[in-house]
């Protein structure tokens, strides 16, 4: 069979919804998750060919294990896992409470990690699979006012980079998709804001907060084009570990690489002389 079975989290809107629709259009089987039962029921009532929807809050680790067992029992396998569900958050580091930090890390890191761990035994048994981690250009380069979100995506990038090396012998591939700004609800209803604000950060984190809210719905990235790019990557013979999406992502990631290279050049002699 040339078709694949996809599991995509968070298909109610944005990139998740666009990718789910693109997968169905291609003719593959799409299993999607929603956080609300009404969304699941409405989706399943449509009886769209080659689809199924399940209720899942990725912060519920017990539910994750149950869902994966149900899906693999019912459909036999999962060829592609897309960890798309997550949240955005804006606030200066000093402004942000630990509870707010945990609320970001639960879906963006811990939930994604747990779902990845739950799928891996099945992919190892079938000796194939592809895990798509929806990261961000903010998973490579940090921005003032975005530090907690950046930290959650940096963490995602770190474990996924190691994971790719660990599972390669089993025929499992891992790709970090790193979009720049896309026309989704990320900068709208999907964006969390620190409850505390400190005037001293108005020219740094405050500017970013205002700018991000102002571009909602006007971002350069097209979720449909991004979805097709992800599908093409999955079907390519040698998918890469990272895939930036959008002009802004290319610019910001290159800025990070240039910054790191500059620091390496500056401290190269000191680093070499520090070895005893």
């Amino acid at each position: 069979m040339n078709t694949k079975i996809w599991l995509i989290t968070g298909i109610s809107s944005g990139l998740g919804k666009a990718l789910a629709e693109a997968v169905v259009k291609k003719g593959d089987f799409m299993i999607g998750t929603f956080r609300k039962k009404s969304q699941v029921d409405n989706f399943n009532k449509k009886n769209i060919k080659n689809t199924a929807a399940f209720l899942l809050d990725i912060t519920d680790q017990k539910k994750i294990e149950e869902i994966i067992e149900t899906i693999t029992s019912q459909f036999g396998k999962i060829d592609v896992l897309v960890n798309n569900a997550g949240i955005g958050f804006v606030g200066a580091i000093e402004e942000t409470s630990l509870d707010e930090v945990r609320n970001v890390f639960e879906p963006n890191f811990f939930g994604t990690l747990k779902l990845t761990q739950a799928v891996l035994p099945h992919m190892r048994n079938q000796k194939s699979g592809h895990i798509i981690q929806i990261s961000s250009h903010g998973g490579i380069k940090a921005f003032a006012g975005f530090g907690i979100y950046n930290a959650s995506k940096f963490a995602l990038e770190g474990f996924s980079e190691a994971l790719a090396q660990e599972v390669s012998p089993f025929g499992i591939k891992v790709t970090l998709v790193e979009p720049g700004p896309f026309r989704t609800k990320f900068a709208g209803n999907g964006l969390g804001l620190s409850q505390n604000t400190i005037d001293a950060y108005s020219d740094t984190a405050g500017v970013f907060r205002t700018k991000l809210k102002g571009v909602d719905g006007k971002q350069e990235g097209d979720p449909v084009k991004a979805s097709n790019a992800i599908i093409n990557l999955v079907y390519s013979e040698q998918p890469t570990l990272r895939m930036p999406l959008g002009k802004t992502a290319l610019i910001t990631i290159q800025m990070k690489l240039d910054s790191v290279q500059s620091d390496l050049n500056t401290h190269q002699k000191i680093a070499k002389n520090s070895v005893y």
Side-chain angles (χ1 to χ4, degrees):
M1 293 178 61
N2 293 323
T3 58
K4 298 181 184 294
I5 296 177
W6 296 61
L7 171 57
I8 308 172
T9 62
I11 67 167
S12 62
S13 63
L15 181 59
K17 181 178 180 181
L19 180 58
E21 291 172 349
V23 167
V24 173
K25 185 176 181 180
K26 179 173 176 55
D28 282 356
F29 197 99
M30 193 288 301
I31 304 167
T33 71
F34 294 94
R35 291 188 64 189
K36 297 179 180 178
K37 187 177 185 301
S38 59
Q39 295 172 316
V40 175
D41 293 339
N42 290 336
F43 184 90
N44 286 332
K45 284 178 182 177
K46 294 177 182 178
N47 291 318
I48 303 171
K49 185 180 179 182
N50 293 335
T51 66
F54 289 88
L55 181 66
L56 178 64
D57 179 344
I58 64 169
T59 65
D60 186 340
Q61 296 194 3
K62 183 178 180 181
K63 187 65 175 178
I64 285 175
E65 296 176 355
E66 293 175 359
I67 285 294
I68 295 303
E69 289 302 321
T70 298
I71 290 173
T72 52
S73 297
Q74 188 170 340
F75 301 102
K77 62 174 182 173
I78 297 171
D79 294 303
V80 186
L81 167 65
V82 182
N83 281 309
N84 169 71
I87 62 172
F89 183 84
V90 175
I93 301 301
E94 187 181 346
E95 293 173 335
T96 308
S97 70
L98 286 181
D99 284 341
E100 288 173 327
V101 174
R102 291 187 179 98
N103 287 339
V104 175
F105 268 76
E106 281 298 332
N108 290 9
F109 178 72
F110 290 108
T112 298
L113 173 61
K114 181 60 180 179
L115 190 53
T116 299
Q117 291 175 325
V119 167
L120 281 171
H122 302 281
M123 288 187 170
R124 283 194 291 105
N125 288 338
Q126 66 198 33
K127 294 182 172 56
S128 66
H130 199 155
I131 298 171
I132 303 291
Q133 312 283 41
I134 303 300
S135 181
S136 167
H137 67 144
I140 297 290
K141 186 181 187 306
F143 309 92
F146 219 25
I148 300 305
Y149 176 80
N150 291 139
S152 70
K153 292 300 185 179
F154 273 47
L156 170 65
E157 295 254 346
F159 95 72
S160 298
E161 186 174 327
L163 176 67
Q165 300 168 49
E166 294 168 355
V167 301
S168 178
F170 311 129
I172 303 171
K173 301 175 179 64
V174 178
T175 297
L176 287 151
V177 175
E178 298 160 340
F182 271 74
R183 293 187 294 276
T184 67
K185 293 182 179 180
F186 179 86
N189 295 334
L191 184 66
L193 302 173
S194 61
Q195 294 299 303
N196 182 38
T197 57
I198 300 173
D199 289 342
Y201 294 107
S202 60
D203 292 334
T204 52
V207 170
F208 183 81
R209 180 194 297 245
T210 301
K211 180 179 179 181
L212 194 60
K213 295 293 288 185
V215 301
D216 183 31
K218 305 173 186 176
Q219 297 95 326
E220 66 178 22
D222 182 345
V224 175
K225 290 182 179 179
S227 298
N228 289 329
I230 292 171
I231 292 172
N232 289 338
L233 175 86
V234 167
Y235 273 90
S236 65
E237 291 186 4
Q238 293 183 320
T240 54
L241 173 61
R242 290 184 171 86
M243 184 172 75
L245 289 175
K247 295 178 181 179
T248 297
L250 291 175
I251 293 171
T252 55
I253 293 173
Q254 188 61 58
M255 288 172 63
K256 174 61 176 282
L257 296 175
D258 291 343
S259 174
V260 172
Q261 187 62 61
S262 176
D263 289 345
L264 285 174
N265 293 342
T266 298
H267 297 286
Q268 188 176 63
K269 184 176 180 179
I270 296 172
K272 290 180 178 178
N273 290 339
S274 66
V275 176
Y276 296 98

